[in-house]
Amino acid sequence: MPDGTRGQRERGHGQEQYVIEGEGSVGADRAVSAAEAAPPFRFSRVGPRGKRLDSRVRSKVARAMTTGRQRDGRIPAGYTYLGQFVDHDLTFDATTVALGENITPADLLQGRSPTLDLDSLYGFGPDDEVSQKFYADDRTHLEVGTTTRIGNLVAREGFDVPRVGTGTRPRRANIPDPRNDENLAVAQHHAAFIRFHNRVVDKLPASVPAADRFQRARRVVVLHYQWMLKTDYLPRIVDPAIVTDVFTNGRRVFEVGADPFAMPTMPVEFSVGAFRLGHSMIRESYDWNAEFPDGAGSLFLLFDFSRTSGTLGGFPTLPSNWIADWRRLYRFSQIDRPDLDPPAGEFNNARRIDTALVDPLADLPLGSFGGEDGDAGTLRANLAFRNLTRAAMLRLASGQQLADFMTARGVPIAKLTADQIRDGLNGADLSALTPAQLTAFLTDTPLWFYVLREAELNNGRLTGVGGRLVVETFHRAMEGSRNSIVRNPAWRPRIGPVAERFGMVDLLVFAFQNKKSLLAPLGD
């Protein structure tokens, strides 16, 4: 979902400065040395620097990408926002202080790292004086949130993220990363992960000492989370052959041969380019629950019923009529649970991963990126323009440059032709570009657009440059985590009814106690 691109530090979601190893801080009005740069979260480049795309070309391409041309893919819509949740686990936003102010760089690096260890859920842990507020009094369970009663729908504990504040005014989320309250769908995922952790705690043997229960539970949660990403999430968004190759044979382009116990870096090509794939999966509306069926859950309302981008509809916490019906977002039939099928015609598929974004993303809510009143309705509020602009600021390598880079390192990449990039397959129409602009664009295609075009031509799954970037970054992030299925390849999941299977639907079934009344509390 949206990122900011204006100013060194914004109020909301994004940042313009990236401390890239060997380059100091880039993306601001001036380059500063690494010694001057404050944020310790380390970015790196996989490939070479690219050229800056002319702003007029960026404008035309952004408009072409957000004209509303889109089609459904075959991925359940829940994975769109699972991807956003994962993105916030991987990437650090220097504008947020959710983990506390006046902390040392060493603590900040420890607390937010480009690993898949759920620090966006756990913060520094229950023994840290800043992060204690995220935990229950036993310092083992995470705090849960309670919805607000509306009409005949009662307040429900555990169906909102925890919030702080008093009175009837909308309350901000009391979670380590406030970006997870940027829209209702990602906030509901965060609440589900809170439930998952607490259920794991409750299922620990009584013999586990009180002092060890939190760390034991966190290890179980993180390892199952990584397994789910490897075996369920990644093969849906990326050609499964790439996933198998990287997890079997190792990395070829990103931090090859790195010390498995060393802290990874975050490649800007992933953060600013390839992993923005999820923006193309967003729907303009959702069959949300029994109260808001038939597309009544518009994207605008998903923003509004959050606290970062909206006002929670004016309620102090999420009103009970907006609780997610998980049956409409994930297919439980894949684990042979027909009792958890949604009502007929009420399932949401994500939009196909391609170069076409839904038109609401051409005019983002100001709160989602820290915008000002004058930004509304301008290109500064266009998500595609913001993505292309940030890549230009960082001089991100083009898709062609990275294809050549990977080929030179023995990765079999089918480089897109100029005709493929120009024409695509029912994606963004580039006919508004002048001949000269089109030639420049087809020669050095912005990485984000290139990756989406690859997927568009591959039936909605990342392949080639994009697939390799995403899987290798995930692999390194898992390898460098404190708890790691990469460093411990013999580990297998122990939660769920089927040996060695643990996907997102298994996580949800476990977290919600295997009860339809909790997975779909508003009924059909």
Side-chain angles (χ1 to χ4, degrees), residues 302-324:
L302 294 195
F303 278 123
D304 192 46
F305 281 90
S306 71
R307 186 62 184 93
T308 301
S309 301
T311 65
L312 292 171
F315 294 90
T317 66
L318 182 71
S320 293
N321 59 340
W322 277 102
I323 296 171

Side-chain angles (χ1 to χ4, degrees), residues 272-522:
V272 183
F275 205 53
R276 299 191 176 217
L277 65 97
H279 295 164
S280 74
M281 298 171 68
I282 298 167
R283 298 181 62 85
E284 69 277 26
S285 64
Y286 294 85
D287 304 334
W288 187 250
N289 59 25
E291 295 287 314
F292 295 94
D294 304 322
S298 69
L299 186 58
F300 169 80
L301 290 173
L302 294 195
F303 278 123
D304 192 46
F305 281 90
S306 71
R307 186 62 184 93
T308 301
S309 301
T311 65
L312 292 171
F315 294 90
T317 66
L318 182 71
S320 293
N321 59 340
W322 277 102
I323 296 171
D325 180 346
W326 295 105
R327 304 172 305 160
R328 288 166 157 89
L329 298 173
Y330 290 94
R331 289 200 184 279
F332 292 87
S333 57
Q334 72 184 41
I335 60 168
D336 196 25
R337 290 296 301 273
D339 58 309
L340 294 176
D341 284 346
E346 284 290 306
F347 186 77
N348 301 281
N349 278 313
R351 295 303 190 190
R352 184 184 68 166
I353 301 175
D354 58 23
T355 57
L357 279 62
V358 295
D359 52 12
L361 298 179
D363 190 12
L364 296 170
L366 299 180
S368 69
F369 63 95
E372 299 175 355
D373 290 343
D375 294 333
T378 72
L379 271 174
R380 291 188 294 275
N382 182 301
L383 179 57
F385 181 76
R386 299 181 77 81
N387 285 346
L388 294 168
T389 298
R390 179 171 291 187
M393 290 165 56
L394 291 173
R395 293 187 58 183
L396 213 61
S398 69
Q400 291 88 345
Q401 284 178 296
L402 278 183
D404 292 340
F405 179 86
M406 292 180 178
T407 299
R409 280 151 184 77
V411 179
I413 296 290
K415 188 174 177 181
L416 294 184
T417 66
D419 287 350
Q420 287 176 315
I421 298 170
R422 181 194 64 213
D423 299 334
L425 185 63
N426 300 310
D429 180 358
L430 301 177
S431 60
L433 297 178
T434 68
Q437 290 172 337
L438 183 61
T439 297
F441 186 82
L442 298 181
T443 301
D444 290 289
T445 307
L447 179 59
W448 179 55
F449 187 95
Y450 186 98
V451 165
L452 293 180
R453 205 62 131 185
E454 283 183 321
E456 185 176 300
L457 295 165
N458 189 46
N459 205 22
R461 266 195 180 127
L462 266 63
T463 187
V465 169
R468 198 79 197 184
L469 271 173
V470 166
V471 178
E472 291 210 7
T473 303
F474 269 68
H475 183 273
R476 179 68 182 109
M478 290 182 191
E479 180 184 65
S481 294
R482 179 178 302 177
N483 299 297
S484 170
I485 64 170
V486 171
R487 294 199 316 269
N488 185 9
W491 184 88
R492 292 294 182 270
R494 297 180 180 178
I495 295 174
V498 178
E500 300 195 11
R501 188 196 77 194
F502 189 78
M504 188 60 189
V505 289
D506 294 297
L507 185 152
L508 290 168
V509 167
F510 180 80
F512 288 89
Q513 302 174 48
N514 198 22
K515 295 180 179 179
K516 179 180 177 180
S517 61
L518 298 179
L519 288 160
L522 305 189

Side-chain angles (χ1 to χ4, degrees), residues 11-40:
R11 299 188 303 273
H13 186 281
Q15 66 175 34
E16 283 213 1
Q17 290 192 41
Y18 292 75
V19 181
I20 301 178
E21 288 200 328
E23 301 181 29
S25 181
V26 299
D29 292 335
R30 69 181 184 94
V32 297
S33 69
E36 290 181 272

Side-chain angles (χ1 to χ4, degrees), residues 151-172:
N152 62 349
L153 298 175
V154 300
R156 289 179 175 268
E157 185 178 75
F159 289 91
D160 189 16
V161 294
R163 298 186 181 277
V164 292
T166 58
T168 60
R169 297 178 62 84
R171 301 169 187 172
R172 64 178 177 84

